[in-house]
Amino acid sequence: MSIDVHYTVDGPEEAPLVVLSGSLGSTLEMWDPQMAGLAGRFRVVRYDIRGHGRSPLPRTPWTIADLGSDVLRLLDRLKARRAHFAGLSIGGMTGMWLGAHAPERVGRLALICTSPKLGTPEGWAAQAALVRAKGTGAVADAVIGRWFTPAFLEREPQIVADLTSMIAGTPVEGYAGCCEAIGCMDLRGDLGSISAPTLVITGEHDFAVPPEEGKLIADMIPGARLEVLADAAHLASWERAPQINDLLTAHFTA
Ligand SMILES: O=C(O)CC1=CCC(=O)O1
C-alpha cells in the first residue's frame, strides 16, 4: 500500500520532470551534488524513501512494489502523468519495478549502482536484525566504506563525516524494513518488459552492488545502454558527480 512520502521540488515549473530516488540509509540530501547540474534544465523532485528522513514509517512490512507505489502516488500528488526517473541502489530497484509495472508513468529511466536481485533473504534478515539490535549507527561506518573508494574516504573527511551521520540518523525500522524488502526482491523476470529508454550506470569499485549487476541489467532491458565509471564505488552520484550529471542530462534530453 502506498504512502505520502516527503519530497522537495526544484527547477523551472515548465521543465521536464525528473524524480530522484536514493539509497538505503539516505535522505533526499544525498542528491545535493546533482542539483546544480540538473535543476537548471529539469524540474527535479527528490524524496525520502518510506521510513527514511522525513517520510512516514508504515506499521506493516513492505516490498519494492510498495516503494514503487509511493512514487506513483507522488506523481499523482504532483498531477504529473509521467516523469523521467533516476534511482540509485534501492532507488534503482524501485525504478526497475516502475519501468515494468507502470510503463505509462515513466519517460526515460536511469538505473545507478543497482541490482534486480541482491544478496540472500538470510543476509538481509541478518542486516535487519543487526540494526534492530544495535541501531543504524552500528552499521554506518561499514556502509560508508562501501559507498566510497579509499581515495575519496581519505580526501573528503567532512563529506564522509556528514554522510556517516546521515546513515546513522536513519530510523531503525525504516532501515530494517527496506533490508527485508530487498531480501525478498527478484526483479529479473521484469527486466525484459521494460520499454523506457534506459541508461544503466555502475561504479567500477562498487563492492556493495558489483558492476556485473549493471551489465546484467543492461543485457536484459531491451536497448539499454551501460556506462561503467572508473574511480567510483557505490555512491557514484557523489564521487563522480559531474560525470553522473552529464550522463543524466544527456539521457533525459535525448
Ligand atoms: O547498504 C549498502 O551497503 C548498499 C546498498 C544496498 C541497497 C542499497 O540501497 O544500498
Side-chain angles (χ1 to χ4, degrees):
M1 215 174 79
S2 63
I3 61 161
D4 280 348
V5 290
H6 170 75
Y7 69 95
T8 60
V9 187
D10 295 271
E13 214 163 298
E14 299 310 319
L17 200 63
V18 170
V19 176
L20 302 177
S21 180
S23 175
L24 178 64
S26 74
T27 64
L28 57 80
E29 280 79 17
M30 75 154 259
W31 296 106
D32 281 353
Q34 274 57 63
M35 298 316 285
L38 298 186
R41 300 187 65 157
F42 303 103
R43 191 150 174 83
V44 180
V45 176
R46 308 188 268 173
Y47 72 97
D48 291 329
I49 58 178
R50 57 169 66 195
H52 285 56
R54 283 152 283 179
S55 283
L57 172 70
R59 290 200 192 161
T60 51
W62 59 88
T63 65
I64 298 297
D66 294 310
L67 299 184
S69 302
D70 293 345
V71 177
L72 297 178
R73 182 161 168 157
L74 175 58
L75 292 179
D76 290 343
R77 290 160 70 201
L78 293 163
K79 304 201 181 337
R81 196 171 59 84
R82 58 164 45 190
H84 302 312
F85 185 93
L88 189 146
S89 205
I90 195 170
M93 297 165 194
T94 304
M96 287 181 264
W97 185 89
L98 286 167
H101 294 273
E104 71 287 356
R105 310 299 300 268
V106 180
R108 300 178 77 89
L109 193 55
L111 305 172
I112 308 167
C113 299
T114 191
S115 165
K117 174 162 174 55
L118 190 61
T120 62
E122 296 76 22
W124 285 106
Q127 181 79 347
L130 174 63
V131 163
R132 285 191 174 113
K134 300 199 166 161
T136 33
V139 300
D141 285 339
V143 172
I144 208 85
R146 296 191 288 269
W147 277 13
F148 296 113
T149 65
F152 186 92
L153 292 171
E154 195 174 317
R155 195 169 69 237
E156 300 288 358
Q158 190 56 56
I159 294 173
V160 169
D162 291 347
L163 295 180
T164 303
S165 299
M166 182 176 80
I167 298 164
T170 306
V172 164
E173 283 303 324
Y175 194 100
C178 283
C179 288
E180 289 164 345
I182 295 169
C184 67
M185 168 199 73
D186 187 352
L187 298 167
R188 289 173 298 181
D190 284 345
L191 297 180
S193 68
I194 295 178
S195 55
T198 301
L199 171 66
V200 182
I201 303 174
T202 69
E204 190 183 10
H205 304 291
D206 186 353
F207 297 111
V209 182
E212 291 72 30
E213 297 293 319
K215 184 169 178 346
L216 176 93
I217 296 170
D219 285 346
M220 291 178 81
I221 297 180
R225 189 164 76 80
L226 175 67
E227 286 280 343
V228 182
L229 296 184
D231 302 323
H234 192 55
L235 219 70
S237 56
W238 204 296
E239 190 156 0
R240 298 296 309 277
Q243 291 75 19
I244 291 267
N245 295 348
D246 288 350
L247 286 167
L248 293 180
T249 299
H251 183 57
F252 292 143
T253 49

